[in-house]
Amino acid sequence: MKILVTGGAGFIGSALIRHILTSTSHSVVNLDKLTYAGNLDSLDNVETTERYYFEKIDICDAYKVAKVFDDHAPDVVMHLAAESHVDRSIEGPDEFIKTNIIGTFNLLEQSRKYYSGLSSARKKLFRFHHISTDEVYGDLAGKDDFFVEETSYSPSSPYSASKASSDHLVRAWGRTYGLPSVITNCSNNYGPYHFPEKLIPHVILNALRGNQLPVYGNGLQIRDWLFVDDHVKALLTVVTKGSVGETYNIGGHNEKTNIEVVEMICDLLEELAPVKPAGIDSYKELIEFVKDRPGHDARYAIDASKIQRELAWVPEETFETGLRKTVQWYLKNSIWCERVLSGAYRLERIGVEK
Ligand SMILES: NC(=O)c1ccc[n+]([C@@H]2O[C@H](COP(=O)([O-])OP(=O)(O)OC[C@H]3O[C@@H](n4cnc5c(N)ncnc54)[C@H](O)[C@@H]3O)[C@@H](O)[C@H]2O)c1
């Protein structure tokens, strides 16, 4: 099978491509614009594989996206390309509207045109898999309730509103034009190759440098964490075995407050990196509570029983095992972090500054 992955140079997309190319016989076409969040270094160990193709393209560019369909004739589309950072969406929502809404619309249109020309045998196989977030549901007021696939949409940030819009477009293209689509809504991911602006890598790298560890508000916001390799296995399960028109929630049943996560990272660093920056006795002393994010969601928690029941997917990592692997990865891969943060990677590989 040939899989067109959009956003394959990002955190989850690169994990997906590494998994497909090392654990299956499928081919991959990676369509990515290479924004600040896209990083080809994350695909270093697989990009010489002959089953891998890369196209540096903006999903908003109708002509170039159509050409990718013509040139590569994919069997399925897995759509991950997005602007994904909530804080950036609050500072500047424009790119989120362009990529997440207009870009998804464009990809749907090109997929629809391509699909209409397929043979009936290939039509049966074709899927448009839209990868989305649990943030479309808004947040949960209680302590024991969960997001299910039928939960009403109530997004809080420009990011989650743009993702909610894209989910609606995908459903409409399925219902109106018969484009065979599936949607997955996943909780917060963490793991190796995560861009260092996100909570977990940000805390690890700042602690190692002896910088403050900023925690929004009182730090009691609850997130449901999933190790990225578990997510990509779920995605491959859904695109190959999921039913057309269905939505699947994906989550790890790892609910933690943000302050708990930060303290767990500090504890792991005490064990794995005991030699601390000058003047620091304990990593936890670097924790600093800062002004809360506007519109900050209180709690996310996913009920992932549908994907477990219908497609037999369950996560393999607990938060404790996944977080340990993540901290170990960042300790061993300081060069990746430096190249991504300094912009050296972008100058060398794509000829632009960060
Ligand atoms: N990270 C999470 O915790 C999480 C959780 C649930 C769902 N998701 C969803 O999964 C997807 C991937 O998330 P991520 O964390 O890997 O994001 P990311 O920001 O790390 O990567 C996004 C990728 O998309 C590319 N991209 C951005 N705009 C583009 C455009 N206009 N055209 C082509 N490529 C473009 C970027 O270059 C980058 O490689 C997103 O759709 C996100 O909404 C993420």
Side-chain angles (χ1 to χ4, degrees):
M1 184 159 86
K2 190 180 263 187
I3 304 176
L4 173 58
V5 175
T6 72
F11 167 49
I12 301 172
S14 67
L16 176 65
I17 293 178
R18 291 192 303 274
H19 176 64
I20 293 171
L21 292 177
T22 54
S23 309
T24 78
S25 56
H26 303 313
S27 304
V28 171
V29 182
N30 176 11
L31 188 165
D32 198 298
K33 179 182 169 183
L34 297 181
T35 66
Y36 79 96
N39 181 356
L40 292 175
D41 274 8
S42 307
L43 292 160
D44 244 359
N45 61 341
V46 292
E47 64 182 352
T48 51
T49 316
E50 55 186 26
R51 288 179 287 127
Y52 173 76
Y53 309 85
F54 175 63
E55 299 280 3
K56 182 178 176 315
I57 286 173
D58 186 335
I59 53 166
C60 298
D61 185 330
Y63 173 78
K64 288 188 179 163
V65 171
K67 191 164 180 323
V68 168
F69 277 101
D70 284 349
D71 291 348
H72 294 281
D75 296 296
V76 300
V77 176
M78 299 181 79
H79 175 35
L80 295 94
E83 287 293 335
S84 70
H85 190 48
V86 175
D87 287 340
R88 285 181 188 255
S89 83
I90 295 168
E91 282 157 27
D94 308 39
E95 285 304 315
F96 289 73
I97 304 305
K98 279 186 208 144
T99 289
N100 299 359
I101 305 178
I102 311 285
T104 300
F105 156 71
N106 183 44
L107 195 66
L108 284 165
E109 276 297 83
Q110 301 318 318
S111 300
R112 179 168 77 89
K113 287 176 192 156
Y114 169 73
Y115 173 75
S116 69
L118 290 178
S119 65
S120 51
R122 293 198 70 202
K123 274 188 172 151
K124 268 193 197 139
L125 270 182
F126 187 84
R127 295 288 180 276
F128 185 100
H129 180 176
H130 180 58
I131 285 78
S132 192
T133 166
D134 62 351
E135 297 187 36
V136 298
Y137 299 125
D139 62 355
L140 295 161
K143 284 204 163 21
D144 305 319
D145 44 350
F146 293 94
F147 296 132
V148 291
E149 285 78 1
E150 294 74 27
T151 301
S152 306
Y153 278 28
S154 183
S156 311
S157 70
Y159 163 66
S160 52
S162 67
K163 289 296 291 187
S165 307
S166 64
D167 291 12
H168 290 319
L169 291 175
V170 174
R171 286 199 182 92
W173 260 243
R175 177 117 184 229
T176 305
Y177 301 113
L179 186 73
S181 51
V182 279
I183 298 178
T184 47
N185 295 90
C186 188
S187 59
N188 277 38
N189 282 216
Y190 69 99
Y193 299 97
H194 207 175
F195 193 81
E197 70 187 349
K198 301 286 175 93
L199 178 70
I200 289 179
H202 186 72
V203 168
I204 298 170
L205 297 176
N206 272 307
L208 291 172
R209 289 178 190 141
N211 296 337
Q212 296 293 314
L213 307 179
V215 175
Y216 279 133
N218 57 11
L220 296 179
Q221 310 84 359
I222 295 172
R223 300 290 176 263
D224 180 358
W225 293 94
L226 181 68
F227 192 61
V228 67
D229 291 354
D230 278 327
H231 186 194
V232 303
K233 286 173 194 162
L235 296 179
L236 209 53
T237 304
V238 169
V239 81
T240 51
K241 298 190 195 138
S243 299
V244 169
E246 291 295 327
T247 296
Y248 300 91
N249 279 351
I250 307 174
H253 276 301
N254 285 309
E255 283 184 56
K256 303 279 174 212
T257 63
N258 285 344
I259 188 67
E260 272 180 292
V261 172
V262 174
E263 287 180 347
M264 284 174 76
I265 294 170
C266 290
D267 289 341
L268 277 166
L269 287 174
E270 293 292 346
E271 178 194 333
L272 299 170
V275 181
K276 292 183 255 310
I280 308 295
D281 292 325
S282 137
Y283 288 111
K284 281 186 188 158
E285 75 192 51
L286 297 169
I287 295 172
E288 181 188 41
F289 292 93
V290 299
K291 189 170 178 283
D292 208 354
R293 168 193 279 168
H296 209 171
D297 287 332
R299 174 173 170 256
Y300 305 139
I302 279 273
D303 176 349
S305 56
K306 177 176 173 180
I307 187 173
Q308 177 173 356
R309 191 175 59 248
E310 296 185 8
L311 304 179
W313 172 86
V314 281
E316 290 165 23
E317 301 289 346
T318 63
F319 191 62
E320 285 69 22
T321 60
L323 191 63
R324 177 173 286 272
K325 284 183 181 172
T326 305
V327 172
Q328 284 168 331
W329 187 88
Y330 278 93
L331 288 172
K332 279 197 200 123
N333 289 278
S334 54
I335 294 173
W336 180 91
C337 301
E338 274 159 30
R339 279 169 59 79
V340 171
L341 283 172
S342 69
Y345 142 77
R346 303 188 68 73
L347 267 177
E348 192 184 303
R349 296 195 55 156
I350 52 176
V352 292
E353 293 192 52
K354 67 174 172 165

